[in-house]
Amino acid sequence: MASCLTIDLGLIGYAEAYALQKRIVAARKAGAIEDVLLLCEHPHVITQGRNGKREHLLAGENVLRQKGVEFYEASRGGDVTYHGPGQIVGYPILNLAAIRRDVVWYVRMLEEVMIRASSDFGVAATREAGKTGVWVATEKNSPRSAQGSQSGTESAEKLGAIGVHISRWVTSHGFAYNVSTDLRYFNLIVPCGIAGRQATSLEKLLGHSVDSRKVAARLTQYLGEVFSLDMQAASFDTLLETLPETGPSPDVTPPVAQPIPAVQERVSS
């Protein structure tokens, strides 16, 4: 079973994480490093994928500045999405040539990772035909009659999003899973370009707080299972030591916020 280094970056800026991804991708293409999973949270940021439409960004520059939200165009697929505290972002940098050369299958497996993790917390997340990500059915305006029939409608809210980039069969970008995310920030966008659909979070669905370390541990576990990888915890410093020298990297700095110690917790348990 191939190994996958799992690095907990904690809270890190989107630009810094993107620069780090690019460096790891280059090393993975050269065969200088094994597969890597980066786990992190981002400060408030909105990103637009290659297929994104600017009109799906509903807030102007002044509003974003007032709310402390950054904006970046990204090389991933997909439309416009939001990242922020309380959301676990996973960036798998995998050599699909050694696993399975199938982009659609890869995206479906990232969905499977989030579906299995959700199930462990009692949430039945599912796929929706023609839409990427994982969804949870929610009943709205559904009063029951005296006979117990239900007259309301059912819709689905998005719990986890996916946007990937693949170059020479090496993956980057990845998934975003809402644990305790402030869902009001999704009002600044049309999430993933799908009008009329709302985002949800694990805590909103369960009605109580959830330890993000346990969620991150489950996501790590299931990513290893679906891709048949041996997940090996490593520190940020170890990762930098493992990467080949590529000259100065002033835009890649160690994170300073409290990390999500999920990987270390799983290895030691």
Side-chain angles (χ1 to χ4, degrees):
M1 183 180 290
S3 295
C4 179
L5 293 178
T6 307
I7 316 298
D8 175 5
L9 297 176
L11 185 68
I12 184 173
Y14 183 82
E16 289 78 12
Y18 181 51
L20 180 59
Q21 280 191 81
K22 290 194 293 184
R23 186 172 170 187
I24 298 171
V25 166
R28 192 69 189 95
K29 287 179 178 178
I33 192 172
E34 53 203 321
D35 289 335
V36 174
L37 170 64
L38 301 176
L39 288 174
C40 65
E41 295 184 25
H42 291 310
H44 302 296
V45 62
I46 291 171
T47 67
Q48 178 178 301
R50 296 189 309 273
N51 306 321
K53 297 180 180 179
R54 188 57 63 92
E55 58 263 32
H56 292 159
L57 175 62
L58 303 180
E61 183 177 348
N62 288 338
V63 172
L64 295 182
R65 186 182 302 112
Q66 290 170 4
K67 292 182 175 296
V69 180
E70 293 186 308
F71 177 82
Y72 290 97
E73 293 184 347
S75 61
R76 61 168 174 80
D79 206 289
V80 175
T81 195
Y82 161 79
H83 300 304
Q87 180 191 75
I88 297 176
V89 179
Y91 294 127
I93 300 170
L94 313 178
N95 177 20
L96 281 188
I99 301 172
R100 178 170 169 173
R101 295 177 183 240
D102 188 328
V103 177
V104 174
W105 174 83
Y106 174 63
V107 173
R108 297 289 86 82
M109 289 303 98
L110 292 183
E111 291 170 344
E112 183 66 20
V113 169
M114 292 189 284
I115 288 171
R116 293 187 189 185
S118 302
S119 178
D120 283 355
F121 290 91
V123 170
T126 62
R127 299 178 178 87
E128 279 209 359
K131 298 180 178 66
T132 302
V134 297
W135 305 77
V136 179
T138 57
E139 297 176 359
K140 296 180 178 180
N141 304 318
S142 56
R144 295 181 180 274
S145 68
Q147 289 75 28
S149 64
Q150 190 166 311
S151 59
T153 59
E154 187 176 71
S155 63
E157 296 181 340
K158 197 164 193 177
L159 179 59
I162 293 173
V164 303
H165 179 73
I166 299 175
S167 174
R168 287 165 45 191
W169 292 109
V170 173
T171 68
S172 57
H173 298 281
F175 62 86
Y177 186 86
N178 297 323
V179 179
S180 58
T181 319
D182 186 341
L183 300 175
R184 293 173 296 181
Y185 282 86
F186 284 99
N187 294 330
L188 301 174
I189 63 173
V190 179
C192 300
I194 305 173
R197 290 299 188 94
Q198 302 295 318
T200 191
S201 69
L202 198 59
E203 289 196 351
K204 178 184 176 183
L205 292 165
L206 295 175
H208 58 76
S209 62
V210 181
D211 187 343
S212 63
R213 296 172 299 178
K214 294 181 179 179
V215 181
R218 299 291 183 166
L219 292 167
T220 301
Q221 172 189 341
Y222 291 127
L223 189 133
E225 288 184 7
V226 301
F227 294 115
S228 298
L229 296 170
D230 180 19
M231 310 304 287
Q232 298 288 330
S235 68
F236 182 83
D237 290 339
T238 298
L239 173 66
L240 293 184
E241 292 170 1
T242 304
L243 288 171
E245 290 296 332
T246 57
S249 300
D251 53 350
V252 180
T253 56
V256 296
Q258 288 294 323
I260 310 167
V263 180
Q264 290 84 346
E265 181 178 271
R266 186 176 81 82
V267 170
S268 62
S269 62

